[in-house]
Amino acid sequence: MATVTFDHLTKRYSADVVAVNDLNLEVGDGEFLCLVGPSGCGKTTALRCVAGLEEISDGELRIGERVVNDVPPKDRDIAMVFQSYALYPHMSVFDNLAFGLKLRKTPKDDIKRRVDEAAAILGLQKLLDRKPKALSGGQRQRVALGRAIVREPAVFLMDEPLSNLDAKLRVQTRAEIARLHQRLGTTTIYVTHDQVEAMTMGDRIAVMRDGLLQQAGTPQDLYDDPANVFVAGFIGSPAMNFATTRTEGEHLMLGESRLELTGAAAKAASERPRGSNLLIGFRPEHLELANGQGADAVRIPAKIDVVEFLGNEELIHAQSEGHEVVALVPSDRKVSVGESVEFAIPVDKLHLFDPESEKSLAQ
Amino acid sequence: MDPRLVTALIVLIGVPAVLVGYIWGTEQVLKVFPERVKPRVRPWLWLLPAIAFLFIFLVYPTIGTIVRSFESKGNILGENTKFIGLDNYVWFFTDGRALSALKNNVLWLVFLTLFTVGLGLIIAVLVDRVRYESFAKSIIFLPLAISMVAASVIWKFMYDYDPNVGTLNAVAGIFGAGPVNWAQTSGFSLTTFMLIIVMTWMWTGFAMVIISAGLKGINTELLEAARVDGANEWQVFRGIIFPLLLPTIAVVATTIIITALKAFDIVYTMTNGNFDTEVVANLMYKEMFTNQNFGRAGALAVILLLAIIPIMAFNVRRFQAQEAIR
Ligand SMILES: Nc1ncnc2c1ncn2[C@@H]1O[C@H](COP(=O)(O)OP(=O)(O)O)[C@@H](O)[C@H]1O
Ligand SMILES: [Mg+2]
């Protein structure tokens, strides 16, 4: 067991390709950290730096107390699950699992016991004699997992391990990995571009963009208090709605409509110069169709464009003062296309952002 | 008209005409057959010319060679031969010269294959890790483009007894070693090894290029996975790279083995089989064109053919296995 600490870690591939830029992050002992961000943001690179497969350009990487910048992969006590699984094609499943143990000169009986154990956990017992070629995608994936757990390393590294599976298998394996982590309690860094995966699996999530860490925190933190527009838009599905408004004292003007604020939001707005722009964000699931509701709700008028029926809920696409607004509401109240409605948002669910820095105005 | 122009016209017009004529002809022949059988007969008719050529230029001569291998030496035109059964083969396995040729071919087969495949593998793996890879590979591949006779001339200079001419002896001189007659020493099969080295110089590039291509086909994530699993570079090579390269190495090795069995040019031009360097192919040449003994030459050809068949069979089997995987 160990912690992993990124201390001002930077990875440059060349002068103008900075894949990871001054990353500061600590992964706690036994923690399951999801590293999430859009494709090309440097997740894989960060993970490969931990594995020792990329040279670190600047800063320090520590596993436990040890600085490992110059330690070769084999001496880092880590195991990695590759996106392509990277199973050894010329070896049986058993030998794939046993390879790392054999290199460590583990006694034969021990190897057999540990491989059998790992195979039992992952349901691979019947496949031990097969070559990777003769396995399905899901089975290969489990062999890749097995190869990692059989070594009982201090840290697991996983690079989008589910991205090659079909949707159903992905959900199933997601749960399996979560169970595995509960059972083994090994420190894990899990890379994914899928925020749903990150939200459901991670103890904590670190969001990256263009090599820069945007925010790290529990899924709840990121959902409730996104640090900036990017995190706000990235976390949550369907994505958060954004709109540009002008300040007017304690209130905001969305086009011709006046949004009445109260509490902290009102205070934040009043601190801005009158008439300056302010970006607001609100989640589709926090919108309600207004019917003369209580005081602490911000009201937004809108005209309905499209209604997508999802069964229990429906997704309303509407126009409000030139902004597209998406709302997720219970499907019991029927609305029709073309209808003018008023959405209500609880004022504490309204996020305010500085339009220049895109940073959140909440403290 | 210029006769060359006439030839060109004949080729330009005649060849397509013959082809079209042949196809038209086959359709005429096909009219004899009922409609149902036509699709099954047509491919055979189209293949007929190729099969005929194959038969005339390969099968017939092979059979002719086998028949001759059972005959005695005739007059200068190869007439008046007698059937002598297996005598030519008995000669091959009892005559000192022939046995020494056989021994040398075995040396060629074992050491040429070991040297070229070994060096090719080492170089391929090493250059894979440097930036000037393609330059290094070009240099090492270059000798394969040189004709064997030219290579012999170059290496005759290398091996020359006079240190003022022979590079090898000049180098030996620096270390105070006397000149060695590299290309004219029977003892320890020294000269045979020197000839094998010439061939190694030529064919290492071939082995390297093919193995290098195989190496590029290995997913680098496999190597990274092995490193993370705890392997050092040697263990990565032993455990992952080498086993995955085995099919490629088998292809290279069989090609080189066949080259070794056919070894002729280098021997013919550098020593003509003297100094204990005789090989079967050169012996066959001598029996054929110097001694006019078509029978013995035929027997030697048949023996070479028989030696190559298992290797070809292995190659074909491997090929089919690979096709099956696809
Ligand atoms: N070997 C490399 N050489 C140069 N640039 C690279 C290399 N690997 C990745 N990059 C660049 O670094 C950035 C981050 O890549 P990566 O870590 O693979 O992103 P992610 O895994 O988040 O999709 C990308 O812009 C990519 O083009
Ligand atoms: Mg990636």
Side-chain angles (χ1 to χ4, degrees):
Chain A
M1 300 290 153
T3 58
V4 178
T5 312
F6 299 83
D7 190 354
H8 294 283
L9 185 136
T10 297
K11 171 66 192 177
R12 266 179 236 102
Y13 282 111
S14 61
D16 52 342
V17 182
V18 185
V20 178
N21 196 346
D22 196 33
L23 177 61
N24 288 299
L25 185 64
E26 175 153 354
V27 187
D29 189 13
E31 188 173 35
F32 195 106
L33 180 101
C34 282
L35 199 54
V36 67
S39 182
C41 72
K43 310 176 295 283
T44 298
T45 306
L47 200 69
R48 287 170 59 87
C49 284
V50 180
L53 298 170
E54 299 289 351
E55 219 168 289
I56 292 165
S57 314
D58 252 319
E60 257 182 23
L61 180 80
R62 290 191 293 277
I63 296 179
E65 294 303 307
R66 189 165 65 134
V67 176
V68 293
N69 285 38
D70 299 319
V71 177
K74 70 186 177 67
D75 301 324
R76 291 194 181 194
D77 199 17
I78 44 150
M80 182 155 170
V81 178
F82 289 79
Q83 188 171 1
S84 68
Y85 311 147
L87 302 182
Y88 311 127
H90 55 297
M91 296 183 195
S92 66
V93 169
F94 183 93
D95 289 333
N96 263 281
L97 296 188
F99 185 68
L101 298 175
K102 281 182 190 158
L103 290 173
R104 279 176 181 69
K105 307 253 180 306
T106 315
K108 263 219 161 69
D109 300 341
D110 253 15
I111 294 182
K112 173 124 185 42
R113 187 178 51 76
R114 281 164 73 171
V115 169
D116 284 343
E117 242 173 58
I121 293 175
L122 293 164
L124 293 169
Q125 298 100 318
K126 293 212 177 83
L127 307 174
L128 285 175
D129 294 330
R130 292 217 201 148
K131 293 271 174 72
K133 208 169 49 203
L135 300 178
S136 72
Q139 291 169 333
R140 280 178 209 185
Q141 210 279 337
R142 272 181 285 152
V143 175
L145 279 178
R147 195 171 62 181
I149 66 172
V150 79
R151 291 218 342 256
E152 298 170 9
V155 181
F156 284 141
L157 307 175
M158 305 193 188
D159 190 0
E160 313 214 6
L162 307 185
S163 61
N164 291 333
L165 302 181
D166 62 50
K168 190 171 163 220
L169 209 52
R170 203 176 312 161
V171 174
Q172 208 175 316
T173 315
R174 203 161 80 191
E176 212 165 299
I177 292 178
R179 263 201 301 280
L180 208 60
H181 178 253
Q182 271 165 18
R183 174 172 181 160
L184 304 172
T186 309
T187 311
T188 305
I189 305 180
Y190 183 102
V191 161
T192 175
H193 66 267
D194 181 353
Q195 60 92 18
V196 175
E197 227 168 270
M199 292 291 274
T200 51
M201 299 177 80
D203 293 330
R204 263 191 331 143
I205 299 178
V207 183
M208 281 181 77
R209 179 200 196 183
D210 292 340
L212 288 165
L213 179 66
Q214 304 290 306
Q215 187 176 2
T218 63
Q220 188 81 46
D221 281 346
L222 266 59
Y223 181 80
D224 290 343
D225 301 307
N228 58 32
V229 173
F230 177 77
V231 175
F234 193 79
I235 300 291
S237 164
M240 187 184 275
N241 296 297
F242 293 102
T244 310
T245 60
R246 275 174 297 110
T247 54
E248 202 187 80
E250 291 201 329
H251 306 298
L252 298 175
M253 295 299 291
L254 175 64
E256 297 304 309
S257 324
R258 185 185 166 92
L259 309 183
E260 307 274 347
L261 302 187
T262 53
K267 188 160 172 290
S270 65
E271 281 167 2
R272 317 281 295 179
R274 197 180 185 84
S276 61
N277 281 348
L278 201 63
L279 200 60
I280 60 168
F282 42 95
R283 298 197 181 277
E285 56 271 34
H286 293 151
L287 289 181
E288 282 170 44
L289 286 163
N291 38 8
Q293 232 145 1
D296 278 357
V298 179
R299 279 146 199 284
I300 296 179
K303 192 156 171 272
I304 294 176
D305 274 343
V306 180
V307 178
E308 290 176 39
F309 181 70
L310 303 175
N312 193 23
E313 292 168 317
E314 56 193 14
L315 205 57
I316 302 177
H317 297 260
Q319 289 290 327
S320 172
E321 305 283 356
H323 293 287
E324 165 134 5
V325 172
V326 176
L328 189 66
V329 298
S331 55
D332 49 4
R333 192 172 151 200
K334 291 274 172 272
V335 287
S336 48
V337 173
E339 194 180 331
S340 288
V341 295
E342 208 175 37
F343 288 120
I345 317 156
V347 72
D348 60 326
K349 302 288 189 202
L350 194 69
H351 302 270
L352 303 181
F353 301 98
D354 183 305
E356 258 76 62
S357 68
E358 303 204 332
K359 290 223 167 67
S360 169
L361 295 182
Q363 294 80 40
Chain B
M1 247 200 311
D2 190 326
R4 279 175 301 183
L5 212 60
V6 177
T7 314
L9 276 178
I10 290 174
V11 171
L12 275 178
I13 298 167
V15 172
V18 169
L19 290 179
V20 171
Y22 184 78
I23 292 169
W24 181 80
T26 54
E27 288 306 313
Q28 296 310 305
V29 173
L30 276 174
K31 281 187 182 150
V32 181
F33 294 96
E35 203 59 43
R36 213 165 35 80
V37 196
K38 273 184 189 174
R40 270 196 287 156
V41 179
R42 189 178 285 116
W44 287 107
L45 285 179
W46 284 21
L47 277 177
L48 196 64
I51 292 173
F53 277 120
L54 202 69
F55 192 83
I56 295 167
F57 292 110
L58 273 176
V59 179
Y60 172 70
T62 305
I63 293 169
T65 305
I66 293 170
V67 170
R68 282 216 172 70
S69 72
F70 297 114
E71 290 175 352
S72 68
K73 181 178 174 178
N75 68 12
I76 196 154
L77 294 173
E79 294 159 343
N80 297 331
T81 55
K82 285 198 307 284
F83 180 80
I84 53 168
L86 289 172
D87 279 8
N88 289 328
Y89 294 92
V90 172
W91 162 80
F92 179 77
F93 288 106
T94 51
D95 182 76
R97 224 162 33 106
L99 282 177
S100 115
L102 183 63
K103 176 205 77 183
N104 285 334
N105 257 110
V106 172
L107 287 180
W108 272 83
L109 190 148
V110 172
F111 288 99
L112 181 67
T113 313
L114 273 183
F115 290 168
T116 46
V117 174
L119 280 174
L121 181 64
I122 291 171
I123 295 170
V125 171
L126 289 183
V127 298
D128 200 47
R129 288 150 194 255
V130 298
R131 231 173 319 123
Y132 46 90
E133 174 178 1
S134 53
F135 175 73
K137 281 190 346 196
S138 309
I139 294 286
I140 292 162
F141 187 74
L142 220 54
L144 197 61
I146 299 174
S147 87
M148 297 242 193
V149 179
S152 304
V153 173
I154 294 170
W155 281 87
K156 263 192 171 153
F157 283 122
M158 291 283 287
Y159 291 153
D160 201 286
Y161 186 71
D162 180 357
N164 294 315
V165 179
T167 316
L168 231 52
N169 280 327
V171 172
I174 293 172
F175 296 105
V180 179
N181 210 340
W182 302 107
Q184 297 179 349
T185 304
S186 309
F188 306 110
S189 298
L190 177 69
T191 300
T192 291
F193 276 103
M194 288 302 130
L195 299 187
I196 292 174
I197 285 173
V198 177
M199 203 70 156
T200 306
W201 175 73
M202 296 189 76
W203 280 83
T204 296
F206 167 79
M208 174 204 66
V209 164
I210 306 283
I211 293 174
S212 184
L215 206 56
K216 302 278 179 236
I218 298 177
N219 181 355
T220 46
E221 282 201 345
L222 290 180
L223 314 185
E224 292 177 345
R227 285 183 197 125
V228 172
D229 256 350
N232 59 31
E233 287 312 298
W234 169 247
Q235 288 164 330
V236 171
F237 178 79
R238 274 287 299 121
I240 313 293
I241 297 178
F242 187 72
L244 291 180
L245 274 182
L246 266 183
T248 312
I249 290 175
V251 169
V252 174
T254 47
T255 310
I256 303 273
I257 286 173
I258 291 171
T259 309
L261 285 173
K262 294 195 304 189
F264 168 73
D265 323 47
I266 297 281
V267 177
Y268 179 75
T269 47
M270 287 192 74
T271 62
N272 196 17
N274 296 313
F275 317 108
D276 192 20
T277 61
E278 192 66 282
V279 289
V280 174
N282 195 52
L283 187 62
M284 173 170 74
Y285 180 87
K286 281 181 182 163
E287 288 299 339
M288 180 85 191
F289 295 104
T290 312
N291 297 346
Q292 311 287 339
N293 193 334
F294 291 12
R296 280 185 184 174
L300 290 168
V302 170
I303 286 163
L304 274 185
L305 179 70
L306 291 178
I308 287 174
I309 282 176
I311 302 158
M312 292 303 283
F314 171 78
N315 249 359
V316 169
R317 274 248 309 279
R318 254 193 35 76
F319 225 71
Q320 283 168 341
Q322 219 160 40
E323 287 292 312
I325 289 171
R326 262 180 226 163

